Amino acid sequence: VMNQTQKKVLRIIEDLKEHLSYLKLFGFQEIPVEIPSLENFKNDVSKKPLTNMSLTLSEIKEELGDCRRCKLFSTRTHIVFGVGNKNADIVFVGEGPGQEEDKQGVPFVGMAGQKLTDIIEKGMGLKRSDVYICNIVKCRPPNNRDPEKDEIDACSSFLEKQIKAINPKVIVALGKPASSTLLGRNVAITRERGTWHSFQGYQVMLTFHPAYLLRFYTNENRRLVWEDMKKALSAILTISNQSKKK
Ligand code: URA
C-alpha cells in the first residue's frame, strides 16, 4: 500500500504528464515558464501578489498620457492605445498604427484591420469586441515603416502592462515585428508561425500579419493562418476546461 506522500507524488507525476502531453498536442516546442527578470527581484520588497501589481487599462492609459517618450510623437495625429474587452481571453498584438489608425485613434481599422476583423469574426466565430487588439508601438511610424528599436523600447513596458491588466489565456502575435518584440529575439515568421512560445508566462501563438496575407493572398497562406487560429482557440478551450475542473 502507498502512504499519503507516495500518493501525492504519483498525482503530481500524473498531472505533469497530462500537462506535457497537452503542450505537445498544441504544438509547443518549448515549455512556457515565467522567468522573473532581475528587475522584478530587485523591486520585490513589498511581497505584493502579482494581481495587485497590475494596473487597470485606464490607469495605464493615464500613465502613457500625451506620450513623448520617443520621436514618433512628433508625426502622429492620435495615440492608438488599444481596443476591446478588458477581460479578453485573447489579445492580438500588431506592429503599429497605419494611416487610418492614426487618424481614428483605433487599432486595425484600415485594410489590414478589415482582414483581421474577418479572421476574428468570420473565421474564429468571435466578435471583435470580445477580444483585445493593440500594437507594439502606439504611434504611427512615418510612411508605415517598421518601428525602430528605440521606439519599441520606449513603448514595450506599456504593452507588457496592458497584457498583465487583461491577463488573457492566449496572445496572438501578428507578423515578425510583434513576434520578435514579444519573444525578445529575431523571429523568422515564415518558419516559426504556428508554434507556441511564451511571454511573461503567457502562451503566444505566432502567425502572419493580416497585411502580409492581403499582399500574398494565396489559399496556402489563408490555410496556414486558419491553422494557427484553430490552435489558439483550442488552447483557450483547454485552459477554460482545466480551470473549471479545479
Ligand atoms: N497594422 C498594424 O500592425 N496595426 C494596426 O493597428 C493597423 C495595421
Side-chain angles (χ1 to χ4, degrees):
V1 273
M2 280 192 285
N3 65 28
Q4 283 305 321
T5 311
Q6 286 170 323
K7 275 186 196 160
K8 248 190 211 161
V9 171
L10 204 65
R11 206 173 314 133
I12 290 168
I13 292 172
E14 272 163 11
D15 281 353
L16 186 62
K17 250 167 95 180
E18 190 187 328
H19 181 64
L20 290 176
S21 56
Y22 142 74
L23 290 178
K24 201 173 160 194
L25 188 68
F26 290 121
F28 275 85
Q29 298 181 341
E30 300 157 17
I31 299 173
V33 285
E34 186 163 14
I35 301 163
S37 65
L38 223 55
E39 193 81 344
N40 291 341
F41 276 116
K42 274 188 279 175
N43 294 335
D44 191 21
V45 282
S46 60
K47 300 261 186 301
K48 268 192 288 180
L50 202 68
T51 45
N52 286 354
M53 277 159 56
S54 70
L55 304 169
T56 65
L57 287 174
S58 36
E59 284 168 339
I60 299 161
K61 202 170 181 176
E62 200 175 312
E63 188 187 331
L64 187 63
D66 182 32
C67 185
R68 294 174 175 220
R69 291 170 183 81
C70 86
K71 58 187 176 299
L72 292 181
F73 88 88
S74 62
T75 46
R76 74 169 178 235
T77 311
H78 287 108
I79 293 180
V80 180
F81 181 71
V83 71
N85 186 333
K86 64 179 178 12
N87 300 120
D89 283 341
I90 182 163
V91 172
F92 291 87
V93 180
E95 180 177 326
Q99 187 174 30
E100 198 53 37
E101 290 79 17
D102 177 62
K103 212 189 277 176
Q104 295 187 34
V106 182
F108 283 100
V109 287
M111 292 249 286
Q114 187 52 56
K115 190 81 249 160
L116 178 63
T117 306
D118 284 350
I119 291 168
I120 293 165
E121 303 204 329
K122 294 182 187 158
M124 303 173 85
L126 304 170
K127 281 198 243 110
R128 190 177 142 111
S129 56
D130 291 335
V131 307
Y132 193 82
I133 304 171
C134 61
N135 286 301
I136 54 173
V137 296
K138 310 304 189 213
C139 296
R140 183 191 182 202
N143 304 314
N144 301 345
R145 64 159 169 75
D146 282 1
E148 291 168 1
K149 187 181 181 307
D150 58 313
E151 297 156 0
I152 295 171
D153 288 348
C155 218
S156 64
S157 73
F158 292 97
L159 174 64
E160 189 174 328
K161 285 171 187 166
Q162 281 174 301
I163 289 168
K164 286 181 175 169
I166 296 158
N167 196 25
K169 299 195 169 93
V170 163
I171 299 169
V172 174
L174 301 166
K176 180 189 172 84
S179 302
S180 300
T181 299
L182 287 170
L183 270 50
R185 64 175 171 83
N186 186 31
V187 169
I189 192 69
T190 39
R191 187 156 47 80
E192 299 192 63
R193 55 136 286 285
T195 59
W196 287 107
H197 299 268
S198 79
F199 170 75
Q200 305 273 329
Y202 291 96
Q203 299 184 184
V204 183
M205 172 52 57
L206 312 183
T207 197
F208 290 137
H209 192 286
Y212 174 88
L213 205 55
L214 285 176
R215 261 187 83 192
F216 304 99
Y217 201 58
T218 63
N219 286 337
E220 173 68 357
N221 285 339
R222 291 161 71 183
R223 186 185 65 76
L224 291 175
V225 171
W226 177 229
E227 292 299 323
D228 304 344
M229 293 309 97
K230 275 196 291 193
K231 286 183 191 171
L233 282 173
S234 315
I236 293 170
L237 281 177
T238 308
I239 295 166
S240 304
N241 289 335
Q242 274 180 347
S243 49
K244 260 185 240 152
K245 257 198 284 176
K246 277 176 190 147

